[in-house]
Amino acid sequence: MDGDVAVGVKRGSDELNMYSSSPNSMTANGSDSKKQRLDESPPSRVLHIRKLPNEVSETEVIALGLPFGKVTNILMLKGKNQAFLELGTEEAAITMVNYYTAVTPQVRNTPVFIQYSNHKELKTDSALNQRAQAVLQAVSAVQDGNSPSSDPGVLDLAPPPSPVLRIIIDNMFYPVTLDVLQQIFSKFGTVMKIITFTKNNQFQALLQFSDPVNAQQAKLSLDGQNIYNSCCTLRIDFSKLVNLNVKYNNDKSRDYTRPDLPTGDGESANKDHSLLGAISPLSAAAAAAAAAGRVALSGSGVSGVLLASNLNEEMVTPQSLFTLFGVYGDVQRVKILYNKKDSALIQLSDGNQAQLAMSHLNGQKVFGKVMRVTLSKHQTVALPREGLDDQLLTKDFSGSPLHRFKKPGSKNFQNIFPPSATLHLSNIRDGVGEDDLRLLFSNSGGTVKAFKFFQDRKMSLIQMSSVEEAIQALMDLHNYDMGGNHHLKVSFSKSTI
């Protein structure tokens, strides 16, 4: 006997008449030693799930499949910590396997393995598989919007009380933005409204589906799951509210049914809104950074001081760090550490700006080395006493005219992009041509791949051959004096030429 066939015999051959084909057909499933053959099973709407925790219930296994479509049958092999799950269509099964290839499926915080079974459908004897069938009926009833008629003891799937979920996120080492929540939850149905807030120092959200059934499926599938590897754990309950009232569409709240709502810029003067709040174009940048898994959450209560390490100590200066970090916030002070010159403290105006700079700059190559950026435990960067900093390692930029974000509502808020090989140039002096700018940028040690003037010739795009070269050119040439009181402005662009 091979694989799970032995179990089939122990549990009574009726229940497992799906195994009536030769035992060898089972080799696609079973233990890890057969991995070689695992991946070769052709797609099937029956999935084999292994390494389930001991006390797992049918509901929890069904919940793995719910987001992807209708679950039409289930067979639990409890003694072997395995199960077979049949979906309504092969497409649904393929989507599920593809999704869980990228995101490790977990049941009760235990990773489980999912693969195609060799069987094209599950034939289970309903007498022996009664409990599972009752659970399935209840789930299908809820999926179809009827109240389940099965024995209520089998499954706590009473009609869902509300289309609104209350979501709390534990272990939040990376920020979870409104856009990230919308992406995750919209797999289960139409997300209509989201409100996010911080309560008891925890990030929370209220999220409203168009239908309570979708809320129920999302809760079944996502409660206890991690958004990113081993952090940002979702805790989900039904809210007592049945309808959310959203006043503004911005990074804290959104009503997807009313795109005409104001962003609320004018009304909200509190500091927490300063950068990531009221300005909606930032949401995309913040969501991208969060999706890249490189960020820690919104600036409330977080210091505005960053520690940059693994710097090239031969090349780095307070000025170059001021210019680079200044793309994402107003840098107040920079201190290269006296005893560790490959590290520096950078103080920005607030925690939001620090988060944004960290999310975009951590892991970028600067002066040939991969820079690490983390939040510092310091609240401020201290200035040395008069005459003590003979190496010019510390610089106060608090009065600098070059801060990009001093003016509330400045256009610069809308032009914050991750480092890219294409740079946006503005404030180009009359009479300065493409050749002049190509030459200027080649002299910063890079290769200019492409160039394009905007119509008025006061702005252009210039593409370097790598992101590292573009970072170098930005540090060298932002605020470059072109004569006649024209200082060149350089920023990263989202466009390519």
Side-chain angles (χ1 to χ4, degrees):
M1 282 285 172
D2 185 25
D4 306 324
V5 179
V7 184
V9 172
K10 276 185 225 153
R11 291 177 58 113
S13 52
D14 288 336
E15 175 177 324
L16 286 161
N17 58 7
M18 54 174 272
Y19 293 153
S20 54
S21 52
S22 76
N24 294 337
S25 65
M26 283 304 299
T27 54
N29 305 323
S31 70
D32 282 339
S33 59
K34 299 185 183 130
K35 255 214 156 81
Q36 251 354 82
R37 287 170 290 180
L38 292 189
D39 308 328
E40 291 160 22
S41 307
S44 156
R45 66 192 183 100
V46 179
L47 300 175
H48 183 196
I49 303 169
R50 298 176 298 125
K51 303 245 172 121
L52 287 163
N54 283 337
E55 294 310 309
V56 70
S57 70
E58 282 88 348
T59 320
E60 289 168 292
V61 176
I62 291 170
L64 286 169
L66 272 186
F68 305 95
K70 204 165 173 79
V71 175
T72 47
N73 209 343
I74 180 172
L75 174 63
M76 303 287 281
L77 304 178
K78 289 217 164 134
K80 298 278 282 185
N81 300 75
Q82 299 183 7
F84 288 89
L85 195 65
E86 178 187 277
L87 279 86
T89 65
E90 199 172 284
E91 290 72 42
I94 293 170
T95 309
M96 178 170 164
V97 168
N98 290 347
Y99 176 75
Y100 287 128
T101 306
V103 178
T104 306
Q106 292 199 335
V107 175
R108 300 197 179 187
N109 287 330
T110 310
V112 298
F113 293 88
I114 298 180
Q115 66 209 50
Y116 298 117
S117 162
N118 273 354
H119 299 280
K120 289 297 174 201
E121 61 179 319
L122 276 183
K123 299 189 192 73
T124 49
D125 181 314
S126 54
L128 284 158
N129 201 19
Q130 211 165 5
R131 180 187 154 87
Q133 294 303 315
V135 173
L136 258 180
Q137 256 179 322
V139 173
S140 313
V142 171
Q143 264 190 309
D144 298 338
N146 314 317
S147 60
S149 54
S150 59
D151 169 9
V154 171
L155 184 61
D156 55 350
L157 273 181
S162 161
V164 179
L165 296 175
R166 187 183 62 136
I167 301 156
I168 296 176
I169 295 180
D170 286 340
N171 307 325
M172 193 151 92
F173 302 135
Y174 294 136
V176 174
T177 61
L178 187 142
D179 298 275
V180 169
L181 289 175
Q182 198 266 342
Q183 265 175 330
I184 294 168
F185 282 81
S186 57
K187 290 192 170 65
F188 297 87
T190 306
V191 173
M192 297 177 73
K193 302 171 189 176
I194 305 179
I195 297 173
T196 64
F197 52 98
T198 303
K199 188 173 171 186
N200 309 333
N201 279 336
Q202 269 192 313
F203 178 81
Q204 302 196 13
L206 292 168
L207 183 145
Q208 181 176 342
F209 280 96
S210 57
D211 189 320
V213 169
N214 305 131
Q216 176 130 24
Q217 291 168 6
K219 180 180 182 300
L220 260 176
S221 293
L222 293 175
D223 189 26
Q225 297 283 359
N226 295 331
I227 298 180
Y228 299 121
N229 274 348
S230 65
C231 77
C232 301
T233 309
L234 291 162
R235 304 270 171 240
I236 302 172
D237 283 305
F238 285 105
S239 167
K240 294 193 173 51
L241 300 168
V242 292
N243 189 24
L244 298 179
N245 179 23
V246 175
K247 292 194 176 77
Y248 302 124
N249 280 342
N250 57 33
D251 277 16
K252 298 252 160 58
S253 62
R254 193 84 47 89
D255 183 339
Y256 294 93
T257 64
R258 296 194 52 202
D260 55 324
L261 286 177
T263 59
D265 292 17
E267 290 77 2
S268 177
N270 67 347
K271 187 77 169 193
D272 198 36
H273 255 65
S274 59
L275 193 65
L276 280 175
I279 303 101
S280 40
L282 257 181
S283 60
R294 296 227 295 254
V295 230
L297 190 78
S298 112
S300 49
V302 174
S303 112
V305 180
L306 296 172
L307 173 67
S309 54
N310 199 37
L311 300 168
N312 181 333
E313 52 188 272
E314 304 294 313
M315 309 281 290
V316 74
T317 62
Q319 182 66 47
S320 59
L321 292 173
F322 166 76
T323 304
L324 179 56
F325 282 76
V327 172
Y328 301 106
D330 291 340
V331 175
Q332 305 298 313
R333 295 176 179 175
V334 178
K335 181 192 217 68
I336 293 174
L337 302 185
Y338 183 82
N339 295 327
K340 199 170 182 325
K341 292 193 173 63
D342 71 344
S343 299
L345 293 170
I346 297 116
Q347 181 181 337
L348 290 105
S349 291
D350 61 36
N352 279 322
Q353 295 187 356
Q355 300 286 5
L356 200 63
M358 177 173 76
S359 71
H360 286 311
L361 294 175
N362 179 37
Q364 296 289 351
K365 256 184 142 181
V366 180
F367 297 124
K369 295 182 75 175
V370 174
M371 175 171 72
R372 293 278 158 241
V373 183
T374 54
L375 289 172
S376 164
K377 57 184 185 297
H378 295 280
Q379 293 301 309
T380 57
V381 171
L383 291 173
R385 291 205 298 279
E386 280 298 308
L388 284 186
D389 186 19
D390 53 356
Q391 298 186 18
L392 304 175
L393 295 176
T394 306
K395 194 152 184 204
D396 184 2
F397 292 99
S398 55
S400 167
L402 296 180
H403 287 154
R404 294 178 190 239
F405 306 106
K406 259 206 309 253
K407 276 201 214 102
S410 152
K411 273 224 285 282
N412 292 333
F413 281 110
Q414 294 167 33
N415 294 316
I416 297 178
F417 301 111
S420 57
T422 307
L423 297 167
H424 179 275
L425 315 183
S426 59
N427 209 24
I428 298 168
R429 187 183 167 187
D430 284 349
V432 171
E434 177 174 339
D435 291 349
D436 303 313
L437 290 165
R438 279 180 174 265
L439 183 64
L440 185 62
F441 277 76
S442 308
N443 285 344
S444 74
T447 308
V448 176
K449 286 279 193 206
F451 182 93
K452 183 173 128 201
F453 262 124
F454 285 66
Q455 253 179 324
D456 61 3
R457 295 179 74 84
K458 287 189 172 56
M459 295 194 288
S460 73
L461 295 177
I462 190 163
Q463 191 174 331
M464 308 303 288
S465 64
S466 68
V467 175
E468 186 186 356
E469 283 184 10
I471 289 175
Q472 180 69 51
L474 181 137
M475 290 190 299
D476 290 349
L477 295 169
H478 177 60
N479 201 43
Y480 176 81
D481 187 351
M482 304 186 80
N485 211 8
H486 275 70
H487 287 83
L488 186 65
K489 300 279 174 274
V490 184
S491 49
F492 297 115
S493 170
K494 67 175 190 305
S495 314
T496 49
I497 306 173

